[in-house]
Amino acid sequence: MTETETPPSASAAETAPAQPRGIGVVGWLRWTWRTLTSMRTALILLFLLAVGAIPGSILPQNVVSVDEVNTYFREHPDLAPWLDRFYLFDVFSSPWYAAIYLLLFVSLAGCVLPRAVAHARALWARPVRTPRHLGRMPYAARFSTDASPDTVLEQARRVLRGYRVERYGDSLSSETGYLREAGNVLFHLALLGLLLALAAGAFFGYRGNMLMVEGTGFANTLPSYDAIYPGHWTDTDNLQPFTLELDDFEATFIEEGDLRGQAASYVADMTYRESPDAGEGRHRLEVNHPLTVDGVQVYLLGHGYAPEFVVRNADGEVVFDQAVPFLFRETATFTSDGVIKVPDTGGEQLGFVGVFLPTAAETESGELVSTFPGAENPRVTLEGYRGDLGLIEPQSVYRLSTEGMEELGSSPVMEVGDTWELPDGAGSITFTGVRDYVSLQTNRDAARPFALGAAATAVAGLLVTLFVRPRRVWVRATEDGDGRTTVEVAGLGKTEAAGDNAEFHELTTRLADRLRDGPAGTVPPNTPSDPVDERSDR
């Protein structure tokens, strides 16, 4: 066995080549960060954010109208619970939408901030050095003159006014159009600011929904809301102490033509106070014309009907006297469903399930329907129950639990003023009138002006990006062997706009004219030749 031979007992591990190592934890983290902060990832996340918002525009949202969500549950009892599991009735406050939003914010921050720093450095940097072969540029021209190279470069500096110019030996390098990249950076920074403003509004603000019957009031306290969505850092015990009163509401509908039954206008006359000690103010609340009180916007979302009932017990005593909001099934006729709960009767509790028809009429088959959304011929039908309402357990005011109750039968069709005497002397119920109710939304978002400013800044940055053209121009002046000066002019447009070469040719012509006329306006003995576009000869 020679000295260079491997002993037979040597292990395979000692003779095998070294295996490549993985990139490790740090490498994977670096790769993840680079992928997340790439522009491609930001565009994908922006697309996912837009796609995720589609269910929020198709399905009713709790933050907009709890009534419409309840109606959807009644119309789709099998599908609605599954949609609710995926937060499709609360899209914009769902965990999956928040995850996309947060990833987009991180991606934009990691992409835009280094880019902004690089652009700031570029603003202070010198223009690039003059290329050796100017004839290879998209625009290149050459001519000769009797002027000295220094004179040529001095005149070129004057022609290139508005450009940032730097001299490198026998040439000038100039650039302009820095605002394009600045507009691009400004657009993305504004988009980042917009996301921050929206996030701040979500964290520090709140939204609430409530229903107000005509002639009633509202105090801005947590128990007064039908539904409220506070931000994570909102102090719900210290809300703005304003109060509202709905003095009058009027809904008008189109009565003729193909659009018959569609709403023409909703108008609510409101009285408000910013605090208990503040003076009284009035506001005419309409759709898209909100009331702003103490920094909170109050929006009119919709309306419905609240039939009024008086219920008497077996002894003839009035135990219930108020308007009850009924939820409409659809807006074409405003056929509405409602529940009346009377717990304090002095005996067995009473409950009623009702259907309200604003403009009742019989079809040819004898079915009673509503033919118009306005309350022109109001009718109501009721089903009565007696027993335990089950109010010990939490339940919706729009649903009646009849498990522990005895059915009393159905009422006749009742018009305003009619009374239904309940069977077995259980009492009576009288349909006394109809009031309107409105559904309102309050929105507290102190970051809204910042969001508006960020959106306006983004539009301005986008316009700058679209209309500013970055360009570079080089001028080189060298002496010939016969004592004349050869002038080379080259131009490069970074956006490949159609007008770039025309602008470069105009600069070349102006420089040639200046050298032809001479510094004192006299024509030199040997005038320079007309500039020749070298690219056009190829």
Side-chain angles (χ1 to χ4, degrees), residues 113-164:
L113 294 180
R115 187 172 180 178
V117 173
H119 180 63
R121 291 175 179 173
L123 291 176
W124 295 100
R126 300 170 65 190
V128 297
R129 287 187 170 273
T130 307
R132 180 176 300 179
H133 303 287
L134 293 180
R136 297 177 181 176
M137 292 297 153
Y139 173 84
R142 179 196 297 261
F143 64 90
S144 60
T145 178
D146 286 335
S148 65
D150 289 339
T151 301
V152 171
L153 297 182
E154 181 63 28
Q155 294 298 324
R157 188 182 292 271
R158 295 178 181 178
V159 169
L160 293 172
R161 183 170 298 171
Y163 284 69
R164 191 172 64 175

Side-chain angles (χ1 to χ4, degrees), residues 36 52 96 114 137 157 164 185 190 195 201 228 256 266 270 276 305 328 335 386 412 417 420 466 477 486 509 515:
L36 179 61
W96 57 266
M137 292 297 153
R157 188 182 292 271
R164 191 172 64 175
V185 172
L195 292 177
I228 187 168
E256 297 180 355
Y266 292 159
M270 308 287 296
Y305 293 105
F328 56 84
T335 300
R386 178 176 55 186
W420 177 33
L466 293 175
T486 298
T509 303
L515 296 173

Side-chain angles (χ1 to χ4, degrees), residues 1 4-16:
M1 178 183 301
T4 58
E5 292 180 350
T6 305
S9 60
S11 63
E14 295 176 352
T15 59

Side-chain angles (χ1 to χ4, degrees), residues 443-508:
N443 189 347
R444 167 69 174 176
D445 186 0
R448 179 173 300 180
F450 299 99
L452 178 61
T457 303
V459 173
L462 185 61
L463 291 176
V464 170
T465 303
L466 293 175
F467 292 104
V468 173
R469 297 179 293 116
R471 306 172 301 283
R472 288 176 177 171
V473 176
W474 296 277
V475 179
R476 175 177 285 135
T478 56
E479 290 185 354
D480 292 341
D482 57 359
R484 293 173 62 83
T485 300
T486 298
V487 182
E488 295 177 272
V489 181
L492 174 64
K494 296 183 180 180
T495 59
E496 299 183 359
D500 284 344
N501 283 355
E503 178 184 351
F504 298 149
H505 186 70
E506 181 184 355
L507 292 173
T508 305

Side-chain angles (χ1 to χ4, degrees), residues 407-423:
E407 185 174 356
L408 296 176
S410 300
S411 72
V413 177
M414 302 172 65
E415 61 181 67
V416 176
D418 287 350
T419 298
W420 177 33
E421 297 291 342
L422 301 179

Side-chain angles (χ1 to χ4, degrees), residues 75-297:
E75 295 177 351
H76 306 86
D78 297 327
L79 177 62
W82 282 99
L83 296 178
D84 192 41
R85 291 181 183 180
F86 294 99
Y87 301 92
L88 294 184
F89 298 113
D90 298 281
V91 168
F92 303 107
S93 59
S94 63
W96 57 266
Y97 195 84
I100 298 175
Y101 187 92
L102 182 61
L103 287 174
L104 177 60
F105 179 81
V106 174
S107 179
L108 281 176
C111 178
V112 174
L113 294 180
R115 187 172 180 178
V117 173
H119 180 63
R121 291 175 179 173
L123 291 176
W124 295 100
R126 300 170 65 190
V128 297
R129 287 187 170 273
T130 307
R132 180 176 300 179
H133 303 287
L134 293 180
R136 297 177 181 176
M137 292 297 153
Y139 173 84
R142 179 196 297 261
F143 64 90
S144 60
T145 178
D146 286 335
S148 65
D150 289 339
T151 301
V152 171
L153 297 182
E154 181 63 28
Q155 294 298 324
R157 188 182 292 271
R158 295 178 181 178
V159 169
L160 293 172
R161 183 170 298 171
Y163 284 69
R164 191 172 64 175
V165 182
E166 185 73 23
R167 180 168 179 173
Y168 295 101
D170 60 355
S171 66
L172 292 181
S173 177
S174 62
E175 296 179 347
T176 190
Y178 288 91
L179 282 179
R180 178 184 177 87
E181 180 62 18
N184 197 348
V185 172
L186 182 65
F187 169 77
H188 288 91
L189 287 176
L191 188 59
L192 195 63
L194 180 61
L195 292 177
L196 274 174
L198 294 177
F203 273 93
F204 295 99
Y206 64 87
R207 293 179 181 175
N209 296 87
M210 67 278 197
L211 185 148
M212 290 182 64
V213 179
E214 200 172 27
T216 63
F218 167 83
N220 190 37
T221 57
L222 193 62
S224 300
Y225 282 97
D226 297 326
I228 187 168
Y229 305 90
H232 295 288
W233 296 334
T234 301
D235 183 6
T236 55
D237 295 330
N238 192 27
L239 301 179
Q240 289 73 19
F242 66 84
T243 57
L244 304 173
E245 290 185 11
L246 178 60
D247 300 324
D248 184 60
F249 177 81
E250 182 179 359
T252 58
F253 302 91
I254 299 174
E255 298 186 0
E256 297 180 355
D258 296 336
L259 300 179
R260 184 178 186 273
Q262 292 193 11
S265 67
Y266 292 159
V267 179
D269 292 326
M270 308 287 296
T271 301
Y272 66 92
R273 294 178 184 269
E274 291 194 357
S275 66
D277 300 331
E280 189 175 82
R282 297 184 180 277
H283 182 81
R284 193 172 179 84
L285 187 64
E286 300 180 58
V287 177
N288 297 327
H289 290 82
L291 163 66
T292 301
V293 50
D294 199 10
V296 179
Q297 287 76 39

